[in-house]
Amino acid sequence: MSVRAIGILAQARHFCRLGGVLRQSNRYAVGALNVALGTQRSPADLSCRRFATETKQADASVDKHEFQAETRQLLDIVARSLYSDQEVFVRELISNASDALEKFRYTALSTGEAELSGKDRPLEIRITTDKPQMQLIIQDTGIGMTKEELISNLGTIARSGSKQFLEQMKNEKQASDAISNIIGQFGVGFYSAFIVAQRVEVYTRAATPNAPGLRWSTDGSGTYQIEEVQDVDLGTKIVLHLKTECREYADEDRIRTVIKKYSNFVGSPILLNGKQANEIKPLWLLDPQSISMEQHHDFYRFISNSFDVPRFTLHYNADVPLLIHALLYFPEGKPGLFEMSRDGNTGVALYTRKVLIQSKTEHLLPKWLRFVKGVVDSEDIPLNLSRELLQNSAIIRKLSSVLTSRVIRFLQERAKKQPEEYENFYRDYGLFLKEGIVTSSDSAEKEEIAKLLRFDSSKADGAEGRMSLEDYYTSVGLEQKNIYYLAAPNRVLAESSPYYESLKKRNELVLFCYEPYDELVLMQLGKYKQKNLVSVEKEMREDSKDPSAATDYGEGSLLRSELDSLIPWIQDELQGQVVKVKATSRLDTHPCVVTVEEMAAARHFIRTQSHQVPEANRFALLQPELEINPKHPIIKKLDKLRVSDTELAKLITKQLFANAMVGAGLAEDPRMLLTNMNELLTKALDKY
């Protein structure tokens, strides 16, 4: 391998240390560079090298530098393949300008008056659009550059002047504010200009006494040159001569939209054609006590593109385990159609040092919190070279875990401190909390979310409101091992349910679940603290398995010998539909009831998939058991009719089973009842 090739590969490794690898989708573009280099290295081994050989021409006033052939190809990759969106070049150049201003602020504080020029000038970023000339001009009044810095910073791809500046300040205590405001880290942002520009000119003058004005220019194809020029302001001005197909970036409204999207919270004023374009403050970095309600409302409407106001506001700052500044809002309005869909994006934007990285960030919060709007800013987030993609999934998972835990804890606090407001929130957004329990893989997190659930209960009246699982847990003794719940469409049907009768007689506390998915959520949760979550249907079925269950069915019930004849007869009539028929003492006003092993799962199956399964197979899957009440008048009359009027007895038996299936919520279509019911009525009225 030649000395030149060894040098290229060494710089390639430097590039990898600074920025990571190029995106997977760019491998074909990078392949052309491999050919030019004469190597077969993977994209992870590619580097950014010095722009030029720095061979000076005869002209004493202009330094002209020639690009190396492979560097031109690498520049083309940076300009065309590194960034997913054209418009991000505006973000990159504004970030560079902001860094230049921060460097000037720090230098002005740390050096003497004589060592710096123009200390009192306004520190701002000025952007000018020129449609006729197809130009975009971005100017800052910051630190500026010397000739050596021009060659060093603009003559080397992936050499970050901002990163070098941070390295110099690391051991200086007073530099902490400046460090937190410096954005750049990879040294490739400037070259994003070539996404839209056919030629770039840089005018700069360093903020040191007697520094000359300099002009750096290139079309990115063959050479760049540096020359001294007159009448250059302190700072740096970048003039982009736009490509014809990119003329939209010479339009003021287009640039204003991009600034609002990516750079609205940059610390220094951004003047677009003389008018400030970034007037909204980054509230998440301010003292929470200093922010007014009106500011929160304005900021919420800005980030959420909505017209309502936030119901709750969470302003969260942390130093450990990660440096986090978060401002999260819980909407007052009801969730929209897109929020209800799990395909919708989360509403939280990700920033690093006040610069937008992603407006809709996957994995920052779990899907079930997609209704939360807001901003998260963290300097610890690992980014790829283009600052568009997140790297190091372990840190992202940790950040997500910290944020999710804080949101859950915040809602628990609201439930205690603002119960009425929380009740209204739960009415609108409780479905998302239940989704969190079903989708979370962390049992501890499930239980924390479960503390936010609210249910009606058998002992509640209108004044008491709904009950939490924690309320249930503390209201019953430690000796009770179960938390009982009953699924029903409403309170009237819950209180009249055959499954509730025995628990009602025992004065047991039962939670009433009115939403069809509530019982699935509780079944998925399984336990709350040390108590099992048990549906009353399952409790009834388990109790009937107990060999010590009562055989005395009460005064006026059928005799044991009568039951021994009736039960096999019913089982024969319902062959293929029930797996077992038995008597129970747990019913009072109902003639019979159907039980299955997992009622919640069975009901879900009936609602979603039973139409795909033949009826015989459906009963085989459900394995229903029919429990009859031996003291109920219908059952007692049925025992007589099976001898005196067999046909009528058969119709009554089928109707009883159909009624029980409807009562259990296991009937695919309740309208099927009508056929057998009409036959039964016809038979019953034959005598009249």
Side-chain angles (χ1 to χ4, degrees):
M1 184 182 292
S2 68
V3 173
R4 172 175 165 274
I6 292 172
I8 288 172
L9 292 177
Q11 293 186 32
R13 295 185 182 97
H14 169 68
F15 180 92
C16 296
R17 286 194 297 271
L18 287 176
V21 299
L22 295 175
R23 291 180 295 132
Q24 183 79 12
S25 59
N26 297 330
R27 288 187 173 179
Y28 294 110
V30 176
L33 181 57
N34 285 332
V35 176
L37 293 173
T39 70
Q40 292 301 316
R41 293 285 184 179
S42 69
D45 289 328
L46 294 177
S47 72
C48 297
R49 292 161 300 279
R50 296 298 294 250
F51 247 54
T53 58
E54 300 185 15
T55 54
K56 296 185 178 181
Q57 304 299 311
D59 189 341
S61 63
V62 178
D63 284 348
K64 194 171 185 180
H65 307 261
E66 293 183 358
F67 287 117
Q68 296 174 1
E70 63 272 14
T71 304
R72 288 201 304 273
Q73 293 184 46
L74 182 56
L75 180 61
D76 183 70
I77 291 170
V78 171
R80 292 173 174 80
S81 302
L82 189 60
Y83 298 97
S84 59
D85 291 323
Q86 262 190 355
E87 62 187 20
V88 297
F89 82 93
V90 178
R91 178 194 72 183
E92 297 296 301
L93 296 182
I94 289 177
S95 298
N96 287 351
S98 177
D99 285 353
L101 295 174
E102 291 301 328
K103 293 173 193 175
F104 180 82
R105 284 193 185 97
Y106 172 74
T107 307
L109 292 172
S110 58
T111 60
E113 193 75 35
E115 299 178 38
L116 208 61
S117 300
K119 274 193 171 184
D120 297 329
R121 69 182 185 273
L123 298 181
E124 56 194 20
I125 301 168
R126 303 165 188 161
I127 301 179
T128 305
T129 57
D130 188 339
K131 269 189 173 180
Q133 297 297 322
M134 282 181 32
Q135 289 182 357
L136 176 64
I137 301 168
I138 300 178
Q139 182 176 4
D140 66 72
T141 57
I143 196 70
M145 287 180 281
T146 63
K147 181 177 179 180
E148 291 72 20
E149 288 170 334
L150 267 180
I151 295 172
S152 177
N153 294 340
L154 302 190
T156 307
I157 304 179
R159 184 184 185 279
S160 172
S162 294
K163 190 164 187 175
Q164 185 182 31
F165 179 71
L166 290 176
E167 292 293 333
Q168 294 170 357
M169 293 195 300
K170 269 186 177 178
N171 298 321
E172 302 182 35
K173 293 181 181 178
Q174 69 270 31
S176 60
D177 288 342
I179 289 174
S180 66
N181 288 322
I182 294 293
I183 301 166
Q185 54 180 317
F186 295 125
V188 297
F190 170 77
Y191 307 101
S192 65
F194 289 96
I195 299 173
V196 298
Q198 58 184 352
R199 186 161 60 90
V200 177
E201 294 176 298
V202 178
Y203 295 86
T204 187
R205 183 177 158 209
T208 53
N210 303 318
L214 299 170
R215 175 180 174 271
W216 181 99
S217 64
T218 184
D219 60 4
S221 60
T223 63
Y224 72 88
Q225 59 187 29
I226 301 174
E227 61 181 316
E228 290 189 15
V229 291
Q230 301 299 315
D231 300 324
V232 176
D233 293 331
L234 292 170
T236 301
K237 178 172 74 173
I238 302 174
V239 181
L240 305 183
H241 299 270
L242 299 170
K243 302 170 185 175
T244 303
E245 64 271 21
C246 299
R247 63 169 69 90
E248 65 184 282
Y249 295 104
D251 180 76
E252 179 178 339
D253 291 338
R254 182 71 174 94
I255 297 300
R256 180 177 289 105
T257 300
V258 179
I259 293 172
K260 181 180 178 181
K261 180 177 180 180
Y262 292 102
S263 306
N264 204 61
F265 304 110
V266 168
S268 301
I270 301 175
L271 304 180
L272 177 58
N273 294 334
K275 296 179 181 179
Q276 187 163 345
N278 61 331
E279 295 180 343
I280 298 180
K281 296 179 180 179
L283 297 190
W284 66 89
L285 297 177
L286 303 182
D287 178 4
Q289 302 300 322
S290 69
I291 306 172
S292 69
M293 188 66 70
E294 185 178 355
Q295 284 178 299
H296 274 305
H297 290 176
D298 290 343
F299 186 77
Y300 167 74
R301 292 186 184 110
F302 170 77
I303 61 169
S304 65
N305 291 318
S306 61
F307 299 99
D308 62 340
V309 295
R311 190 192 306 256
F312 300 130
T313 299
L314 170 58
H315 196 159
Y316 173 55
N317 295 301
D319 296 324
V320 289
L322 298 170
L323 182 60
I324 302 170
H325 301 286
L327 184 53
L328 303 176
Y329 295 105
F330 299 77
E332 184 179 56
K334 294 184 178 181
L337 206 55
F338 291 108
E339 287 173 317
M340 296 299 289
S341 168
R342 279 186 54 81
D343 295 331
N345 292 323
T346 181
V348 176
L350 175 64
Y351 284 73
T352 291
R353 294 186 171 99
K354 298 180 286 188
V355 174
L356 178 69
I357 303 302
Q358 290 181 351
S359 58
K360 303 291 184 183
T361 311
E362 291 287 335
H363 312 304
L364 198 55
L365 284 177
K367 278 283 189 182
W368 65 271
L369 285 175
R370 58 189 174 276
F371 62 90
V372 177
K373 313 294 182 186
V375 169
V376 173
D377 192 322
S378 177
E379 298 174 21
D380 295 329
I381 296 172
L383 305 173
N384 78 336
L385 196 59
S386 65
R387 293 196 294 192
E388 293 176 313
L389 303 173
L390 305 179
Q391 298 184 145
N392 194 334
S393 58
I395 293 181
I396 300 304
R397 284 196 300 271
K398 184 63 177 176
L399 178 60
S400 176
S401 175
V402 170
L403 290 171
T404 303
S405 297
R406 186 65 188 93
V407 168
I408 294 171
R409 193 165 75 251
F410 172 78
L411 289 174
Q412 291 171 353
E413 293 165 359
R414 298 283 70 73
K416 291 179 181 178
K417 297 177 181 178
Q418 300 171 269
E420 290 184 10
E421 290 84 348
Y422 178 77
E423 182 66 29
N424 292 331
F425 164 79
Y426 184 81
R427 191 176 296 111
D428 293 335
Y429 289 91
L431 175 62
F432 294 90
L433 305 180
K434 295 166 187 175
E435 180 187 321
I437 292 175
V438 173
T439 57
S440 176
S441 58
D442 185 340
S443 59
E445 183 177 272
K446 285 175 183 283
E447 189 163 294
E448 289 301 309
I449 303 171
K451 293 177 182 178
L452 299 170
L453 301 180
R454 296 292 184 270
F455 301 98
D456 197 1
S457 75
S458 57
K459 294 185 179 179
D461 56 31
E464 290 184 27
R466 293 196 276 189
M467 174 177 281
S468 68
L469 291 176
E470 184 65 22
D471 293 335
Y472 190 116
Y473 184 85
T474 55
S475 65
V476 298
L478 293 176
E479 65 279 0
Q480 181 172 321
K481 302 302 182 184
N482 297 330
I483 294 176
Y484 297 113
Y485 64 90
L486 169 63
N490 53 58
R491 187 178 186 90
V492 172
L493 291 176
E495 290 181 329
S496 61
S497 169
Y499 303 101
Y500 175 54
E501 280 190 350
S502 64
L503 291 171
K504 185 178 182 179
K505 283 192 292 186
R506 284 155 39 195
N507 200 29
E508 295 278 7
L509 178 59
V510 178
L511 299 177
F512 293 157
C513 305
Y514 301 144
E515 301 295 338
Y517 36 77
D518 282 349
E519 55 182 342
L520 283 176
V521 172
L522 295 177
M523 186 179 72
Q524 178 75 18
L525 186 60
K527 294 184 72 172
Y528 181 76
K529 293 187 175 179
Q530 288 80 38
K531 297 187 187 298
N532 297 313
L533 291 161
V534 179
S535 72
V536 296
E537 298 100 336
K538 186 174 180 68
E539 189 270 344
M540 187 174 190
R541 186 174 176 115
E542 293 298 321
D543 187 68
S544 66
K545 293 178 181 177
D546 187 351
S548 64
T551 55
D552 181 7
Y553 301 112
E555 186 178 350
S557 67
L558 292 173
L559 299 176
R560 181 75 259 178
S561 59
E562 292 173 318
L563 287 173
D564 288 344
S565 300
L566 177 61
I567 288 175
W569 183 84
I570 294 175
Q571 192 148 344
D572 285 342
E573 291 304 315
L574 298 177
Q575 189 173 13
Q577 295 177 292
V578 298
V579 293
K580 189 176 184 180
V581 179
K582 57 187 176 183
T584 181
S585 62
R586 296 171 64 86
L587 294 175
D588 187 21
T589 61
H590 293 79
C592 62
V593 70
V594 163
T595 62
V596 297
E597 192 62 38
E598 287 292 349
M599 191 67 81
R603 277 193 278 257
H604 182 69
F605 166 74
I606 291 295
R607 285 194 298 267
T608 59
Q609 300 176 47
S610 68
H611 62 281
Q612 303 172 2
V613 180
E615 185 179 81
N617 292 356
R618 188 159 66 244
F619 286 119
L621 287 170
L622 292 176
Q623 297 279 297
E625 293 183 2
L626 180 67
E627 300 188 20
I628 61 173
N629 178 4
K631 61 179 179 290
H632 196 278
I634 294 178
I635 299 300
K636 291 161 68 175
K637 189 68 174 175
L638 178 65
D639 182 51
K640 295 178 180 179
L641 283 174
R642 69 184 177 88
V643 178
S644 62
D645 193 339
T646 305
E647 289 303 314
L648 180 58
K650 289 180 179 180
L651 289 173
I652 291 174
T653 301
K654 291 178 181 178
Q655 190 64 44
L656 285 173
F657 177 67
N659 291 352
M661 290 292 283
V662 171
L666 298 177
E668 183 180 23
D669 189 348
R671 290 174 296 185
M672 296 298 292
L673 282 171
L674 297 176
T675 303
N676 186 72
M677 188 180 293
N678 289 334
E679 288 183 42
L680 175 60
L681 291 173
T682 302
K683 183 68 176 175
L685 293 172
D686 277 349
K687 298 176 183 180
Y688 305 96

